Amino acid sequence: MSNVETIHVVHHCHTDIGYTHDPPVVWDLQDRFIQEAVDLAERDVGLDADHAFRWTVETTESLRRWLAHASAADIDRFCQVERAGRIEVTGLPLNLTPLTDADQLAEALQGLRTLRQQHGLTIRHAMNCDVNGQAWPVADLLLDAGIRSLSMAINSHMGGTPPRPDLFWWEAPSGRRLLTLGGFHYMWGWRFGIGRSAESLRDEWWPRVDAHLDAIGYGLRSLLLQTTHPFGDNGTGDPNLSAWIEAWNTAGGRPRILLSTPSEWVDAVLAEEADLPVRRGEWTDFWNFGAGSSAREVRVNRASRDRLRTADALVAAVGDEAAHRSMSRYRDAAWRALHLFDEHTWGVDTSISAPHGEDTTAQWMHKAHTAWEARSLSLMLQRDALAALAARVPRPDPSSASGASEAEDGFSPGDGVRADDVQQIVVVNPLSTPIAASGPIAHHVLHARGTPEDQTAGRHFQDHGSARDGLRDHLDATKGGATQVLLPTEVPAFGYAVVPRAQIVPLAKDLHESEEAEVEAEGFRLSFDLERGGITSLVHDGHEWVDPDADWTLGGFIHEEVDDRNHDWARRRLFEPTWNSEEVELPSGWQPDWPARRRGAEVAAHRVFHTPLGVTIVQHLRAPDTDGLIRQRVDVRRGHVAVETAWEMTTETHPEATYLAFPLALPGATARWDGGGLPVEMEADQLPDACRDFATVQRWVDLEGHGRGITLATPDAPLVQLGGFTFAKHIETATLDQAHVLGWPTNTYWETNFRASQPGRVVARYRLAPYRGAFDEQRAHRVGIEASHAAPLVQHLGEPTHPDPFPDPSASLLRFPGWDSGASPVLTLHVQPGPEAGTLDIRLLNASDTETTTEIASGALRILAAHATDLFGTEEAPLAVRDGSVEVTIDARRLAHLRLRV
């Protein structure tokens, strides 16, 4: 028998943005749920009893929307019952996936400041439901946000089944500890009979639960059980629950049941002073493979996040009034759309069973809209920010810059463009380390539609057609020289450089084309497979990086499907749930021996191009169940090899996946990945019973051993499998028997709320950067960040100038940690406008295991004053500014928040 004396029942709505109803309907229903909860809580507010109605608001985004249009009287009523402890608001805005990184989580938590300061709400607990895990930095971020505890009610459907309930101290990357519950599924209270059947609870379920608790060693006297309305997801409060609990307790039911809030339960267990275990590592998520069902939008959303950070940083630095207005109007909406795409609900409950139904289509259109809205707003905000910076850049005399002739570069000064306006552009570097910028320049930056001085439509047309869906055929370089490229140009850290027209040349300039299978350039020697496609040998620094015994080439395209087209529900070959189990935990339904059919590609064309940017190899491939040719480009550059692959998916609804293979020759390697801003070492840094079948990474994966290693940047596609094909194996202990990485851009393996097919263009980029020596975290971060910002960020200088220009045509705006060499362990995560004119806020991360003192120095902007703040930009503490520099000391693995006046 267990020690449990009291069951704390936490009653809430599980927030699925679209699973049961279209998202606009869900948001309206959430308003009704909160209103009804206030009515029920107010009814019992004077009742000092276990059964008095209590309600938990699961996500702050639901509350934020209700507060935006609720009456002042209703808001006051809400706040009164919250202060009385009858409603609790928990701290996460949404049930977010591991697609978010540390900085995005910090942005997502900003709403807590308003809820606390404007409404006086006490928010001490965070809850997450359905999602099977969280990126490790969430523990530190919640602590920084004033949250003391977290409860996870994961859904074991196509997920994991850890022994639970499991209360432990989750040791954050910083070493601090967050009280964390791995709890039962959020509907298990109803399943066990609470609110439904006293006989079922007393005679059937409680004896089973009691035995289960005893078997797993649950020694606490208080047990938390969550429950929802009988409707299930997106349901309101159950008005009958209080009466049911009163009847149970009056009849002497055991255990005693208390209608509770999460914080009441936390208070109860802390009072027990139990010796709880400490666990350290990433809660690697089982569910996020569903993100592969919308690979295009995942890529778009990741790019939007980078653009929003760039826009924030430039507007903060230049202080332009018009750009500030645009930022204040659209910034929050852009970030909110970004977060909503990374929320855990991709589709309606019939997404797989009725893939072409109107409910399925409606929900996907609403979901996809969040990614595309974030794209549109981020492009606008970034372009305004670039123009604001360009206005303050001094214009060198264009007659002193040597420009290419019109005939040579294909430029014509017609269409309202003056020739002298395109003699110079400004190249911007939003990163905290210097870069050598190069790559294609958007056509309308050099050939303005309308007039160059147009600050309205013309400015925002510059990006039109520049972010091609996939590869340029590249071989439009031979079709009139239309593609213009920036030659490698040094740009200072967090700065800009004015570039003469001579640095921009046609891609077709001095183009040399061949069909050779072996290529040597920039210290790399590559051999290509002319039948299957991909790379059979990659030698750098005397080391062969391709495993010669691998079944697949490096960069090789693989199509995979469930090899059973006669099954009426083929996804059950991957996972077979048992819904009517009498066990407390549903059995794991994974089918480790699921039948997989894997096929590679065949080469239709292979060409090698020597361009002004370096050597580029283009292969056109044919592969099963893709529409048309796959186009793969390999760019050999100084220090790295980039592989970009684009293909068209079909409407096929049979469960399938695609991979890009990276079989590396590095026996005995240690694998690490970017877990939201810090390295997660495979197995060593993963919580027990978390997912080992695949990982969701942010910017990079790294394999290292025997004095060398390689970093694989993943700017577009966050899903990887390590060591081979491991999905659905339900691995208990991860080992890297072979140093093989599988980039996993797409799959349609989920069986409910993700897409059954994703027709259209998929693009996946990877960058391989080999190195000598031990793993260097800062180097890995830099490889990943630079891969995400591979395209040059440019603006023409044709718009009106600012009356207060910067003094130099090339400068750093500020000098952040690592600005000169990138060697600093402190990462600059985010620079954004401060609350007052002339201020900017900076978010830093000490990406090391020791306390670090670092410096921010003046550049084109002079630092006048500095303050340390908290996560929300409050509680300012002054910092000394000496000679235009400020030092800050940051604890190991901690975020630091600064406010500068410039």
Side-chain angles (χ1 to χ4, degrees):
M1 302 289 289
S2 72
N3 295 329
V4 171
E5 300 171 358
T6 304
I7 297 175
H8 289 251
V9 174
V10 170
H11 189 28
H12 66 103
C13 163
H14 173 54
T15 313
D16 263 322
I17 312 303
Y19 186 59
T20 58
H21 311 76
D22 291 351
V25 178
V26 169
W27 291 125
D28 186 80
L29 291 175
Q30 291 291 329
D31 288 351
R32 303 184 197 190
F33 301 161
I34 291 173
Q35 197 70 45
E36 290 179 3
V38 171
D39 293 341
L40 290 169
E42 198 173 55
R43 178 199 67 188
D44 291 352
V45 73
L47 181 63
D48 184 16
D50 291 346
H51 62 275
F53 187 85
R54 293 171 177 85
W55 178 256
T56 296
V57 178
E58 184 187 75
T59 61
T60 60
E61 178 64 12
S62 302
L63 180 60
R64 184 197 67 81
R65 290 172 181 255
W66 179 80
L67 290 168
H69 56 257
S71 69
D74 281 339
I75 292 173
D76 184 62
R77 292 173 61 214
F78 180 94
C79 293
Q80 288 186 37
V81 292
E82 192 271 347
R83 285 192 292 272
R86 300 307 173 86
I87 286 183
E88 177 166 3
V89 179
T90 58
L92 286 170
L94 299 159
N95 291 302
L96 291 169
T97 69
L99 292 175
T100 56
D101 64 9
D103 180 67
Q104 186 180 346
L105 285 166
E107 284 295 313
L109 290 168
Q110 291 301 306
L112 293 179
R113 177 183 179 182
T114 300
L115 295 176
R116 287 167 171 159
Q117 291 187 350
Q118 292 188 10
H119 302 288
L121 302 181
T122 302
I123 304 173
R124 302 184 296 168
H125 183 84
M127 65 190 300
N128 196 285
C129 297
D130 255 8
V131 181
N132 271 236
Q134 287 294 311
W136 197 1
V138 76
D140 270 319
L141 266 296
L142 290 176
L143 290 166
D144 287 347
I147 301 294
R148 64 171 181 168
S149 52
L150 166 70
S151 57
M152 295 282 290
I154 70 173
N155 191 332
S156 59
H157 177 212
M158 295 200 95
T161 53
R164 56 181 180 174
D166 179 24
L167 184 66
F168 61 96
W169 292 105
W170 189 6
E171 187 172 303
S174 68
R176 296 177 295 167
R177 295 174 178 178
L178 178 72
L179 186 66
T180 301
L181 173 69
F184 285 124
H185 185 276
Y186 54 88
M187 292 174 63
W188 260 215
W190 177 259
R191 178 182 180 230
F192 294 160
I194 292 175
R196 177 172 58 88
S197 168
E199 292 76 14
S200 177
L201 176 63
R202 182 186 61 242
D203 301 331
E204 300 174 27
W205 280 110
W206 179 248
R208 297 174 191 162
V209 174
D210 199 23
H212 170 82
L213 296 173
D214 183 58
I216 66 171
Y218 185 83
L220 297 170
R221 297 190 297 274
S222 298
L223 173 69
L224 184 146
L225 281 179
Q226 294 172 222
T227 197
T228 62
H229 187 278
F231 175 81
D233 297 347
N234 296 319
T236 189
D238 184 353
N240 301 313
L241 186 58
S242 291
W244 190 96
I245 291 173
E246 180 183 22
W248 172 272
N249 289 337
T250 300
R254 291 290 180 268
R256 164 180 164 244
I257 297 178
L258 170 64
L259 192 50
S260 188
T261 64
S263 287
E264 286 181 301
W265 175 76
V266 169
D267 290 341
V269 297
L270 289 176
E272 296 187 38
E273 298 183 352
D275 186 16
L276 301 175
V278 177
R279 302 205 171 98
R280 176 179 173 85
E282 181 185 74
W283 202 324
T284 319
D285 179 86
F286 269 100
W287 265 26
N288 204 47
F289 69 90
S293 69
S294 47
R296 188 179 193 179
E297 285 72 22
V298 167
R299 173 179 61 84
V300 164
N301 218 45
R302 287 160 74 92
S304 296
R305 185 173 63 183
D306 286 330
R307 278 193 295 269
L308 288 174
R309 289 170 180 156
T310 295
D312 271 352
L314 299 185
V315 170
V318 300
D320 179 77
E321 184 178 344
H324 268 282
R325 285 197 301 270
S326 177
M327 183 67 69
S328 62
R329 183 175 180 184
Y330 294 112
R331 180 188 187 278
D332 288 350
W335 277 101
R336 189 166 292 115
L338 192 90
H339 302 327
L340 281 169
F341 183 78
D342 289 342
E343 191 265 349
H344 79 301
T345 314
W346 258 255
V348 74
D349 55 359
T350 56
S351 289
I352 305 300
S353 59
H356 307 298
E358 285 194 4
D359 289 332
T360 299
T361 302
Q363 163 58 6
W364 173 242
M365 292 301 174
H366 285 292
K367 179 69 173 184
H369 170 73
T370 62
W372 294 109
E373 181 179 25
R375 176 188 182 270
S376 300
L377 294 178
S378 65
L379 281 168
M380 179 176 65
L381 292 172
Q382 179 176 271
R383 184 52 65 186
D384 279 340
L386 283 168
L389 175 66
R392 295 193 63 179
V393 172
R395 273 73 164 162
D397 182 359
S399 64
S400 65
S402 59
S405 71
E406 296 174 15
E408 183 180 18
D409 68 6
F411 165 70
S412 169
D415 301 325
V417 183
R418 296 190 304 272
D420 59 346
D421 288 329
V422 295
Q423 292 302 311
Q424 302 159 8
I425 62 171
V426 62
V427 184
V428 178
N429 175 13
L431 308 182
S432 60
T433 56
I435 60 171
S438 66
I441 303 295
H443 175 79
H444 296 288
V445 171
L446 302 177
H447 306 262
R449 177 169 172 173
T451 59
E453 65 271 17
D454 177 18
Q455 300 175 61
T456 59
R459 174 192 295 175
H460 291 286
F461 196 71
Q462 290 181 55
D463 297 306
H464 193 69
S466 61
R468 300 284 176 107
D469 252 351
L471 296 170
R472 291 175 182 273
D473 192 347
H474 215 79
L475 305 171
D476 63 0
T478 63
K479 302 171 185 175
T483 301
Q484 302 290 311
V485 295
L486 174 69
L487 296 177
T489 301
E490 295 296 325
V491 187
F494 192 55
Y496 61 89
V498 175
V499 175
R501 190 70 177 83
Q503 280 291 99
I504 302 169
V505 301
L507 186 60
K509 182 179 176 64
D510 301 325
L511 184 73
H512 170 67
E513 179 179 347
S514 70
E515 296 182 356
E516 57 194 323
E518 295 188 1
V519 174
E520 192 162 353
E522 301 292 351
F524 292 93
R525 188 173 70 249
L526 299 88
S527 298
F528 288 83
D529 192 315
L530 301 187
E531 294 182 356
R532 299 181 300 163
I535 301 167
T536 56
S537 173
L538 190 156
V539 178
H540 180 266
D541 196 20
H543 181 73
E544 170 61 72
W545 282 102
V546 180
D547 182 352
D549 298 322
D551 294 330
W552 310 97
T553 59
L554 189 141
F557 183 89
I558 305 167
H559 179 270
E560 175 187 78
E561 66 179 8
V562 175
D563 193 16
D564 187 346
R565 286 185 169 264
N566 296 317
H567 199 287
D568 59 356
W569 192 262
R571 289 166 180 84
R572 294 291 164 84
R573 300 303 306 271
L574 293 158
F575 181 92
E576 181 71 44
T578 306
W579 298 114
N580 59 354
S581 172
E582 294 184 353
E583 298 180 36
V584 173
E585 282 291 5
L586 299 181
S588 169
W590 291 109
Q591 307 296 308
D593 296 323
W594 66 279
R597 184 186 186 195
R598 300 184 181 107
R599 291 173 288 175
E602 60 180 30
V603 174
H606 170 91
R607 283 181 280 185
V608 179
F609 298 88
H610 294 262
T611 78
L613 297 180
V615 179
T616 293
I617 301 90
V618 176
Q619 290 191 326
H620 289 185
L621 311 170
R622 295 188 182 92
D625 292 312
T626 57
D627 187 5
L629 291 173
I630 300 166
R631 290 167 290 171
Q632 185 169 88
R633 186 177 76 199
V634 176
D635 292 317
V636 185
R637 300 292 184 260
R638 184 177 180 181
H640 71 264
V641 173
V643 180
E644 178 176 322
T645 310
W647 66 99
E648 303 284 339
M649 300 294 292
T650 71
T651 57
E652 174 63 67
T653 59
H654 184 75
E656 62 177 355
T658 59
Y659 299 91
L660 280 305
F662 298 95
L664 303 174
L666 197 62
T670 297
R672 300 175 179 88
W673 60 84
D674 177 3
L678 77 160
V680 174
E681 183 178 328
M682 182 179 181
E683 188 59 35
D685 291 332
Q686 295 180 267
L687 292 182
D689 300 296
C691 180
R692 268 74 171 164
D693 292 3
F694 70 97
T696 303
V697 309
Q698 287 299 326
R699 297 191 188 272
W700 53 264
V701 179
D702 186 276
L703 276 73
E704 171 264 334
H706 306 294
R708 67 176 67 247
I710 191 165
T711 302
L712 178 70
T714 59
D716 298 325
L719 304 180
V720 298
Q721 295 175 34
L722 298 171
F725 295 95
T726 53
F727 176 65
K729 300 301 184 184
H730 205 205
I731 297 168
E732 295 183 1
T733 303
T735 58
L736 194 70
D737 296 329
Q738 50 188 5
H740 292 187
V741 180
L742 290 170
W744 192 22
T746 78
N747 74 81
T748 54
Y749 288 151
W750 247 102
E751 68 166 1
T752 174
N753 65 321
F754 288 86
R755 302 178 76 192
S757 66
Q758 50 178 318
R761 177 64 53 87
V762 174
V763 180
R765 295 174 297 153
Y766 299 89
R767 177 180 289 194
L768 297 105
Y771 60 86
R772 272 188 179 273
F775 169 72
D776 183 331
E777 179 180 347
Q778 284 67 51
R779 183 188 179 281
H781 286 309
R782 187 170 182 178
V783 169
I785 291 169
E786 289 182 356
S788 296
H789 291 266
L793 200 58
V794 298
Q795 170 71 11
H796 68 70
L797 296 180
E799 292 189 13
T801 60
H802 192 280
D804 181 24
F806 294 129
D808 299 309
S810 178
S812 288
L813 298 166
L814 290 170
R815 294 179 173 181
F816 288 114
W819 71 274
D820 53 349
S821 65
S824 172
V826 176
L827 305 178
T828 305
L829 298 185
H830 205 139
V831 181
Q832 60 190 32
E836 300 173 358
T839 64
L840 51 85
D841 289 350
I842 302 169
R843 188 174 295 137
L844 304 173
L845 172 65
N846 178 5
S848 75
D849 295 322
T850 59
E851 178 185 273
T852 299
T853 298
T854 192
E855 180 184 69
I856 299 175
S858 298
L861 300 174
R862 181 78 178 171
I863 300 174
L864 304 176
H867 291 78
T869 73
D870 63 11
L871 174 67
F872 306 112
T874 57
E875 300 181 11
E876 298 186 10
L879 297 171
V881 178
R882 297 183 178 88
D883 298 324
S885 299
V886 59
E887 284 191 347
V888 58
T889 300
I890 312 175
D891 291 340
R893 298 293 174 190
R894 289 288 300 275
L895 290 174
H897 311 273
L898 305 181
R899 177 161 296 149
L900 302 185
R901 183 171 295 278
V902 296

